[in-house]
Amino acid sequence: MPFYVAPEQQMKDKADYARKGIARGRSAVVLQYEGGILLVADNMSRTLHKISELYDRIGFAAVGRYPEFENLRLMGVRFADVRGYQFDRRDVSGRQLANIYAQTLGTVFSESLKPWEVEIVVAEVGDTADGDEIYRITFDGSIVDEQGFVAVGGSSEQVGEILKDRFVADAPLSAALNAATHALAHENGEARELEASNLEVAVLERSRHHRKFRRIHGSRLISLIEEGQRNNAANASGGANTTDDEADQD
Amino acid sequence: MFEGFEGGRMPAAFMSAGTSSFTEFLRAVNPELLPGQHLGTTGGSADHLTPDATTIVALTFPGGVLLAGDRRATQGNVIANRDMDKLYRTDEFSAVAIAGSAGIGIELARLYQVELEHYEKLEGRSLSLEGKANKLAQMVRGNLGMAMQGFVVIPLLVGFDEVTEQGRVFSYDAVGGRYEEQRYHSIGSGSVFAKGSIKKLYREDLDETTAIKVALESLYDAADEDSATGGPDLHRRIFPLIDVITEDGHRRVPTEEVARLATEVVQGRAENPDGPTARLD
């Protein structure tokens, strides 16, 4: 005979379960930079991506259980491609994708026994920085329209706080990457050193034609990380008598 | 907001591991969107329903490949469209042009475009150039039923092979036969004349600009002999369209540059109406 469990308790148990699952993995951050939107994830694997392209101007970042968010990614790509083929490429928007993700996750959360242990970000780069959209969708289907930057993952609040200190909306790519890796390296209160091989990095580049999503890896990633560290060190050492503008030109 | 998406959940097919082919996926969820779905049962020939796209030329040069098309579409003796775009950038390293039934061809090219991109996004890597060529062959074969009714579409695929680092050209027949062409090829109503023209002007060491010039000369010759092919229209400023693919990716040659070269070709013909001649020595 089944025991009665209050709906509140049921939901709370599911939410705790999902949170715990998500917290087991590493975080990801999505933030604006001067040329568009930067997506960075702490990911050892070179082939099991946490960051992907959904459509021309739209990127996807996820944390949690890989097979679950991979399903969501497939769904998003298929939805976007069908829609773009049916109407026009301009008729696919980040908001639509964020909505179907929210509805799907919401349905899974309320209807199935096991919630999905995922948290995702849908980012769309606009023609200008004002047109950029970043949506965060959590395991229960809540959707938040974020401004400027967002962190997802088990310790997203902590990562978000650290990122907030260094976030500048029109920072150059290397500085934005430096801020992102700094925040990711300090999750769970630890201070790790993140190398290029631990990072999955991609950008939605505003000035690019056709498809704006581009992965950054290999030597370009290494040089960007080094550039960011150099500038950051210069900033820190000369911080008292150097203005930000001068440091940026280094 | 989306067909089959009322219950808060997408149809199961959207999330199944299933296929990475967009065409197959569309056949499962939205078959009515596939090209030519409603044309299956018409009796007799119906090819007067859509205009014909005409001449396309493609040629390789060291380090790349070029695709060029005239702008005309005809319906019988009538010019249906004088500034049509028959070239499609299908991904960073390939492009397709169509000749034959325009209405079907445009849809086919659009579907092929999405097909390549869809595969690349789902699989995380793009198809090899042979894979792309074979995929297109299957799609042309899928059109065979309509080809029998008169809606024949012939594509021409060009691509830059990142492995061998050279431009390649693939031609097709209506049943989906795929043929790799050496150096250059032409399709469409004026193709016989265009190909003959390229044959006499082609050199192994063409650079990009000279290759564009060869393409423009050949299209001029096609327009000269074939009523369905349009030549450069200096008054309306309508010029052939030219796509170039090199290791840097796909590039549509800017209109001003084509205009300049096409005007040179036309002026050359004012002095010598049959164009440049091949040397006999």
Side-chain angles (χ1 to χ4, degrees), chain A residues 13-35:
Chain A
D13 288 351
K14 278 190 193 178
D16 287 346
Y17 178 85
R19 273 196 204 98
K20 260 185 215 158
I22 294 167
R24 271 195 290 271
R26 296 287 186 187
S27 300
V29 295
V30 175
L31 63 158
Q32 286 179 309
Y33 75 101
E34 64 175 351

Side-chain angles (χ1 to χ4, degrees), chain B residues 146-198:
Chain B
M146 280 190 295
M148 302 294 276
Q149 294 181 45
F151 295 105
V152 181
V153 175
I154 303 291
L156 186 64
L157 172 72
V158 300
F160 183 79
D161 192 329
E162 289 173 277
V163 181
T164 59
E165 299 192 335
Q166 58 180 2
R168 295 169 71 181
V169 179
F170 295 89
S171 74
Y172 296 85
D173 62 25
V175 297
R178 187 207 93 174
Y179 313 92
E180 177 158 11
E181 302 293 341
Q182 300 304 319
R183 303 183 296 171
Y184 55 86
H185 193 65
S186 175
I187 58 166
S189 60
S191 60
V192 182
F193 312 106
K195 198 169 176 183
S197 175
I198 302 179

Side-chain angles (χ1 to χ4, degrees), chain B residues 38-161:
Chain B
H38 308 291
L39 298 168
T41 52
T42 49
S45 173
D47 58 350
H48 60 281
L49 295 178
T50 183
D52 284 318
T54 52
T55 310
I56 304 292
V57 300
L59 58 146
T60 59
F61 55 89
V65 63
L66 168 157
L67 185 66
D70 79 318
R71 306 294 292 272
R72 185 170 290 181
T74 57
Q75 199 149 17
N77 65 317
V78 174
I79 295 173
N81 193 322
R82 55 177 104 249
D83 60 354
M84 183 183 172
D85 184 353
K86 304 165 193 175
L87 312 186
Y88 292 83
R89 172 195 189 275
T90 44
D91 67 6
E92 196 57 40
F93 293 106
S94 68
V96 153
I98 48 148
S101 297
I104 312 287
I106 292 167
E107 282 303 295
L108 189 80
R110 241 163 61 82
L111 184 62
Y112 182 63
Q113 233 168 6
V114 183
E115 180 75 42
L116 294 190
E117 183 188 328
H118 191 76
Y119 181 94
E120 189 189 326
K121 287 193 287 198
L122 290 195
E123 298 289 326
R125 53 178 290 185
S126 32
L127 280 167
S128 62
L129 189 54
E130 276 87 358
K132 292 176 195 171
N134 291 338
K135 183 73 224 178
L136 186 56
Q138 289 161 20
M139 290 174 65
V140 174
R141 196 170 303 129
N143 188 52
L144 184 58
M146 280 190 295
M148 302 294 276
Q149 294 181 45
F151 295 105
V152 181
V153 175
I154 303 291
L156 186 64
L157 172 72
V158 300
F160 183 79
D161 192 329

